[in-house]
């Protein structure tokens, strides 16, 4: 028998065109992928190069200016920050002691991060192995005294109040030394307005030559500052506060700078800021007709009493500051007034000035609200109403 031959299916043959199409399709797929990956790879390569350059540059800069002088050192270096030393001086001394690589880098580093104002005077044990941050932190948490500190002079404080505050805060050690400087003002005659005060006709009647001229503000002073240096700083602020246009306005009113500050000191003590200009109008109106100012606060300045209700003994005190007995302004300021009070002294309320208000009294001792009157009859009626409140306030507060 003949063997049956197995039928074979004819094999499919690819044409030249088919082969070309498949090849082009494959190349197209790879080309598409490459178009996506190529910019990514370029960016990665550039990033690696830039990071490498930056790292190399930073390593060079850090090794030369920032790193510890000797990271492996175990040496202990005694370093002193003297009272009154500036940040620049501290940075210079650190470099000279071999504790930092570059003084300027330390200075800007400490200043930028806020360490500069916190560095304290004292003796420290540092090491060349310490970083800039470790050194800066050590110098700010030492047992010494800060290089600088802030003081705040409140509006309406007297020279005596300021001296007591500075002593209480440990800024000065002797109140009397401070008061003595303020009493004569002799060492501050280089300030033209203090020279004018000392040359004035009523200078001998003043309690303190510098009263009124220690400008209220917040100040930054060296911890080593002397009373004289502190006073000069406060006097310089007064010169800055009393602007040129205020001098012009004072000339227009026929007033000296000292008279303006004196009037402002009364306004500061008599009223809250909302009533400054109205109180100023009352005083200006009285001065215009040569009427005694009758200001309680001038009595309180002399006697030291804090009572709202003044008695006949208070009102009859023999003093040039008694504005019940003496017409015109007192010999000088009775406190150190704010800029707002000075401005009010120069620019009294126009309505109250025109309507000739001559009187005011306390309406509510707790809030400082005032009651204004044009006539003596109106004023006396108001006093009758509000005087019991003053007495009750004195009893409640124990004012003497």
């Amino acid at each position: 028998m003949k063997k049956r031959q197995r039928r074979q299916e004819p094999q499919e043959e690819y044409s030249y065109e088919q082969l070309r199409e498949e090849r082009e399709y494959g190349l197209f797929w790879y080309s598409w992928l490459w178009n996506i990956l190529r910019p990514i790879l370029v960016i990665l390569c550039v990033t690696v190069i830039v990071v490498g350059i930056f790292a190399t540059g930073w390593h060079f800069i850090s090794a030369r200016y920032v790193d510890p002088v000797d990271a492996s050192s175990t040496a202990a270096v005694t370093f002193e920050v003297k009272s009154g030393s500036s940040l620049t001086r501290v940075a210079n001394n650190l470099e000279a002691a071999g504790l930092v690589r570059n003084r300027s880098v330390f200075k800007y580093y400490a200043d930028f991060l806020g360490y500069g104002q916190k560095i304290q005077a004292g003796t420290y044990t540092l090491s060349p192995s310490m970083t800039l941050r470790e050194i800066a932190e050590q110098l700010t948490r030492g047992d010494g005294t800060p290089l600088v500190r802030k003081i705040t002079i409140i509006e309406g404080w007297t020279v005596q109040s300021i001296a007591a505050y500075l002593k209480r805060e440990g800024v000065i050690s002797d109140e009397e030394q401070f008061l003595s400087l303020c009493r004569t003002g002799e060492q501050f005659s280089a300030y033209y307005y203090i020279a004018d005060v000392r040359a004035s006709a009523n200078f001998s009647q003043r309690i303190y030559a510098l009263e009124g001229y220690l400008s209220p503000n917040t100040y930054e002073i060296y911890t080593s500052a002397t009373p004289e240096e502190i006073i000069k700083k406060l006097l310089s602020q007064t010169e800055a506060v009393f602007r040129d246009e205020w001098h012009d306005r004072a000339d227009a009113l026929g007033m000296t700078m000292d008279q303006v500050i004196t009037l402002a000191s009364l306004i500061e003590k008599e009223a809250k800021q909302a009533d400054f200009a109205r109180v100023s109008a009352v005083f200006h109106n009285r001065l215009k007709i040569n009427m005694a100012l009758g200001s309680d606060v001038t009595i309180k300045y002399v006697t030291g009493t804090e009572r709202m209700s003044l008695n006949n003994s208070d009102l009859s005190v023999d003093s040039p500051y008694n504005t019940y007995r003496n017409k015109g302004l007192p010999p000088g300021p009775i406190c150190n007034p704010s800029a707002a009070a000075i401005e009010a002294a120069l620019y009294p309320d126009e309505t109250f000035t025109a309507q000739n208000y001559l009187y005011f009294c306390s309406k509510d001792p707790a809030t400082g609200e005032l009651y204004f009157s044009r006539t003596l009859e109106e004023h006396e009626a108001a006093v009758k109403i509000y005087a019991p409140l003053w007495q009750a306030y004195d009893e409640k507060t124990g004012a003497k």
Side-chain angles (χ1 to χ4, degrees):
M1 295 179 65
K2 293 183 179 179
K3 292 185 179 178
R4 297 178 62 183
Q5 293 182 346
R6 190 175 181 181
R7 184 179 178 184
Q8 295 181 350
E9 298 293 333
Q11 294 181 353
E12 184 177 358
E13 296 182 358
Y14 287 90
S15 67
Y16 173 78
E17 287 76 11
Q18 289 175 318
L19 291 173
R20 188 180 66 180
E21 287 177 0
E22 287 191 8
R23 182 179 179 188
E24 288 179 351
Y25 175 78
L27 290 175
F28 173 76
W29 183 81
Y30 284 115
S31 176
W32 172 78
L33 181 61
W34 175 248
N35 286 338
I36 295 176
L37 292 178
R38 185 172 181 274
I40 296 176
L41 292 174
V42 170
I43 292 173
L44 286 175
C45 290
V46 171
T47 301
V48 170
I49 292 172
V50 170
V51 170
I53 293 173
F54 178 79
T56 302
W58 171 249
H59 178 73
F60 173 79
I61 294 173
S62 181
R64 188 163 184 173
Y65 299 106
V66 180
D67 290 348
V69 174
D70 184 356
S72 62
S73 175
T74 58
V77 178
T78 299
F79 183 78
E80 181 182 7
V81 176
K82 293 183 178 180
S83 180
S85 296
S86 64
L87 178 58
T88 299
R89 175 70 61 84
V90 172
N92 291 345
N93 292 343
L94 284 170
E95 182 181 317
L99 293 167
V100 299
R101 291 181 178 273
N102 185 278
R103 58 190 176 186
S104 296
V105 170
F106 178 83
K107 178 182 181 298
Y108 292 126
Y109 172 85
D111 197 36
F112 180 76
L113 293 181
Y115 289 108
Q117 302 299 327
K118 301 176 183 177
I119 292 178
Q120 301 184 36
T123 302
Y124 301 87
T125 301
L126 305 177
S127 171
S129 64
M130 296 174 71
T131 64
L132 295 182
R133 185 181 187 87
E134 289 171 339
I135 292 173
E137 289 182 346
Q138 181 67 26
L139 295 181
T140 58
R141 64 169 181 258
D143 296 330
T145 305
L147 292 177
V148 296
R149 63 168 302 165
K150 289 184 178 180
I151 59 172
T152 299
I153 308 303
I154 305 298
E155 295 92 343
W157 275 3
T158 64
V159 163
Q160 290 184 337
S161 300
I162 294 173
Y165 161 75
L166 294 176
K167 174 65 182 305
R168 186 169 62 251
E169 292 296 311
V171 178
I172 61 175
S173 58
D174 185 359
E175 281 185 59
E176 183 50 41
Q177 180 187 6
F178 184 90
L179 293 176
S180 178
L181 290 169
C182 294
R183 190 174 291 116
T184 66
E186 183 177 0
Q187 293 178 249
F188 310 99
S189 294
Y191 296 90
Y192 71 90
Y193 40 91
I194 301 303
D196 290 346
V197 166
R198 289 178 51 79
S200 64
N202 58 4
F203 173 66
S204 62
Q205 296 179 320
R206 292 182 184 240
I207 298 176
Y208 292 102
L210 302 189
E211 190 77 86
Y213 293 91
L214 304 183
S215 185
N217 212 321
T218 295
Y219 300 88
E220 189 173 82
I221 61 171
Y222 285 111
T223 55
S224 59
T226 65
E228 183 176 351
E229 291 169 338
I230 295 171
I231 290 172
K232 286 181 177 179
K233 199 172 188 72
L234 274 57
L235 291 176
S236 296
Q237 180 63 17
T238 295
E239 189 169 14
V241 166
F242 209 100
R243 306 185 299 270
D244 289 341
E245 56 265 36
W246 285 3
H247 282 287
D248 295 338
R249 173 63 176 172
D251 290 340
L253 293 173
M255 300 176 71
T256 66
M257 178 181 178
D258 188 57
Q259 289 173 329
V260 171
I261 291 180
T262 299
L263 178 56
S265 71
L266 271 64
I267 295 169
E268 185 77 57
K269 284 294 193 180
E270 287 282 15
K272 299 294 184 182
Q273 187 169 339
D275 280 330
F276 278 180
R278 298 187 186 97
V279 169
S280 177
V282 169
F283 285 147
H284 273 281
N285 287 339
R286 287 191 168 214
L287 290 170
K288 191 182 303 182
I289 61 175
N290 197 30
M291 178 181 180
L293 294 181
S295 174
D296 289 1
V297 294
T298 60
I299 302 294
K300 294 178 181 180
Y301 180 68
V302 175
T303 64
T305 183
E306 297 177 349
R307 287 180 285 106
M308 291 288 298
S309 297
L310 300 182
N311 54 40
N312 290 332
S313 176
D314 296 322
L315 299 178
S316 61
V317 63
D318 184 16
S319 168
Y321 284 89
N322 186 341
T323 54
Y324 281 88
R325 296 180 58 177
N326 303 288
K327 294 180 180 179
L329 292 167
I334 61 169
C335 72
N336 295 279
S338 62
I342 296 174
E343 185 170 24
L346 290 166
Y347 300 94
D349 185 280
E350 294 181 357
T351 300
F352 273 50
T353 301
Q355 294 182 2
N356 200 35
Y357 276 85
L358 293 172
Y359 303 91
F360 65 86
C361 67
S362 175
K363 187 175 181 180
D364 185 347
T367 64
E369 187 179 359
L370 300 178
Y371 185 88
F372 293 88
S373 306
R374 295 186 187 88
T375 68
L376 179 60
E377 184 180 10
E378 292 173 352
H379 176 64
E380 289 178 339
V383 170
K384 188 174 181 180
I385 294 172
Y386 299 115
L389 298 180
W390 310 342
Q391 296 166 359
Y393 182 81
D394 288 341
E395 292 176 2
K396 181 180 179 180
T397 59
K400 297 180 180 180

